[in-house]
Amino acid sequence: MTNPTLLPTEGLFVGRARSGDASHPMVVTVRDGTVFDITSSAAPTVRDVCELADPAGHVRSAKGTSIGSLDDIAANSFEATRDRAKPSLLSPVDLQAIKASGVTFVVSLLERVIEEQARGSAEKADAIRADIAGLIGHDLSKLKPGSPEAMEIKAKLISRGAWSQYLEVGIGPDAEIFTKCQPMASVGFGADVGLHPVSTWNNPEPEIAMIAASSGRIVGATIGNDVNLRDVEGRSALLLGKAKDNNASASLGPFIRLFDDTFSITDVKQAVVRLKVEGEDGFSLEGASSMAEISRSPEELVAAAMGPHHQYPDGLALYLGTMFVPSKDRGEKGKGFTHKVGDIVTISSEKFGALVNRVRLSPDCPHWTYGASHLMRDLAKAGLFSA
């Protein structure tokens, strides 16, 4: 199986790769279709690149060693056929905290309310979806969270006994920010993504993730899959950790696109994120999210996650949320969509390329065994890092 990264020819990209020739993960960039190892003692990690005054300038001018063509390395990145001796792509972040924001689009908001009301039952979702839409409507996209208009709607819903914790973070003053996984635990292009075995109702979440330095300055962005267990979260919001943070349940990549003269926060706000699911059973599903419809800006979400109230010395990767929650029936009518093992999920956006992963159960995905301590030791052995 071979899937292209669809990486744009313009732009500055930074990521990570692993090869049998190096004991440590390599910091890499792409130049004219070739992947270059640009790991250096000045910036031995992607975290260090992002902390520089000019990350794009560093990547542009960094000396590097070719490790192969992007097409060959991407083809070797698929878990099922990977040759460990040859280069393969990793998640493009390393030491950064990996957080996520939820309920940032009106469609996502409605679906989360549905999950809560259905108590994890896919069979009840359609009827509840119609009831909720009749009560609050579909078009809340112009409603500013925390505004007087939003608070008026909140008061009406409370009076009718229809208020929800998801409506609170969707149109209330405070954004939902949660931990998606630990630093070094995300997976990248070609990796398997994991579902907890207890789940029978789940879905991919195609999103853009902002990359911020420890100062809070946003330096770039990538695309990601915030894999979600709808039944688990629907049973109780207190199970959010179980619904979101499992082995291989956070995917990012294929690369971080750094801000430069060709790419800015404006491009992020205008991006369309596309999703395609292809099952071994012949099932297919496609959809898209338009960032123009997000209710809180990327800058607002990053500021909600980090600042004087919360610091991240190694920076932050922050999923921005999705408006696409699949409801297309897969099999029996009225039971909606859920993943099956073997699904191929492709998330793409014109200025970012494509992130492709295969769905498996979390215990069957490669276990997370390489953490920050291992990275530090390997960089020290290579003479790239010293205390």
Side-chain angles (χ1 to χ4, degrees):
M1 177 180 61
T2 301
N3 286 270
T5 60
L6 302 179
L7 207 68
T9 55
E10 67 171 10
L12 282 166
F13 294 88
V14 67
R16 296 164 65 237
R18 173 70 94 173
S19 173
D21 294 334
S23 62
H24 58 84
M26 296 172 284
V27 178
V28 298
T29 191
V30 181
R31 296 168 181 164
D32 296 325
T34 299
V35 179
F36 286 84
D37 174 11
I38 60 169
T39 316
S40 68
S41 57
T45 67
V46 170
R47 175 266 181 201
D48 291 316
V49 172
C50 294
E51 289 295 308
L52 296 172
D54 182 11
H58 170 81
V59 170
R60 183 185 297 109
S61 62
K63 294 179 180 179
T65 302
S66 169
I67 63 169
S69 75
L70 176 58
D71 287 347
D72 288 346
I73 293 173
N76 190 50
S77 297
F78 291 98
E79 186 64 39
T81 57
R82 185 177 302 160
D83 182 343
R84 307 286 176 194
K86 297 179 179 179
S88 58
L89 296 175
L90 297 170
S91 167
V93 300
D94 40 44
L95 297 174
Q96 293 92 338
I98 301 174
K99 310 287 282 189
S101 33
V103 202
T104 53
F105 292 84
V106 62
V107 174
S108 174
L109 164 62
L110 296 177
E111 289 298 323
R112 290 295 179 265
V113 174
I114 290 162
E115 285 172 10
E116 180 186 39
Q117 297 293 323
R119 290 289 185 264
S121 171
E123 292 87 345
K124 298 178 182 178
D126 279 344
I128 295 171
R129 187 175 290 109
D131 289 342
I132 295 294
L135 182 63
I136 65 176
H138 285 288
D139 188 13
L140 297 179
S141 59
K142 294 181 176 60
L143 189 66
K144 179 69 175 174
S147 67
E149 293 79 10
M151 294 304 94
E152 183 178 347
I153 289 177
K154 176 179 178 177
K156 290 179 180 178
L157 290 168
I158 289 174
S159 69
R160 295 185 63 172
W163 190 241
S164 157
Q165 58 201 338
Y166 293 106
L167 287 163
E168 176 64 49
V169 296
I171 66 176
D174 298 310
E176 178 190 17
I177 305 291
F178 58 91
T179 297
K180 178 58 184 176
C181 71
Q182 297 302 302
M184 301 289 294
S186 60
V187 299
F189 179 95
D192 292 337
V193 290
L195 303 170
H196 196 294
V198 303
S199 176
T200 59
W201 186 26
N202 42 70
N203 62 267
E205 293 194 356
E207 306 185 15
I208 288 178
M210 305 309 296
I211 308 299
S214 60
S215 64
R217 177 174 59 111
I218 301 172
V219 299
T222 188
I223 48 180
N225 185 355
D226 175 15
V227 181
N228 182 47
L229 311 182
R230 299 191 71 183
D231 48 357
V232 173
E233 184 178 351
R235 279 161 46 205
S236 170
L238 298 181
L239 293 173
L240 182 66
K242 188 181 184 78
K244 290 290 191 179
D245 185 4
N246 298 290
N247 185 41
S249 66
S251 178
L252 294 165
F255 296 90
I256 296 167
R257 184 162 184 177
L258 296 169
F259 287 166
D260 67 350
D261 292 341
T262 70
F263 182 69
S264 70
I265 193 71
T266 300
D267 294 291
V268 173
K269 294 177 179 179
Q270 295 173 347
V272 174
V273 182
R274 304 188 184 281
L275 168 71
K276 185 174 185 179
V277 179
E278 301 167 279
E280 293 178 340
D281 57 354
F283 177 86
S284 65
L285 172 74
E286 295 189 42
S289 290
S290 172
M291 285 295 295
E293 298 185 41
I294 198 167
S295 59
R296 302 180 197 265
S297 73
E299 299 99 321
E300 288 175 313
L301 291 169
V302 170
M306 65 189 305
H309 63 289
H310 202 316
Q311 296 77 50
Y312 294 93
D314 292 315
L316 181 74
L318 178 67
Y319 289 87
L320 294 180
T322 186
M323 67 173 285
F324 184 70
V325 183
S327 57
K328 177 182 177 181
D329 286 335
R330 186 176 198 175
E332 187 176 341
K333 183 175 175 58
K335 291 206 171 182
F337 170 85
T338 196
H339 269 307
K340 291 188 178 181
V341 170
D343 283 352
I344 301 298
V345 180
T346 302
I347 297 172
S348 61
S349 190
E350 181 182 4
K351 293 184 180 292
F352 295 91
L355 173 63
V356 187
N357 300 105
R358 178 181 64 165
V359 174
R360 299 180 71 191
L361 297 180
S362 285
D364 298 331
C365 295
H367 288 192
W368 176 40
T369 59
Y370 192 89
S373 63
H374 303 86
L375 175 62
M376 294 299 102
R377 291 189 188 102
D378 285 344
L379 290 174
K381 287 177 185 177
L384 293 164
F385 173 83
S386 61

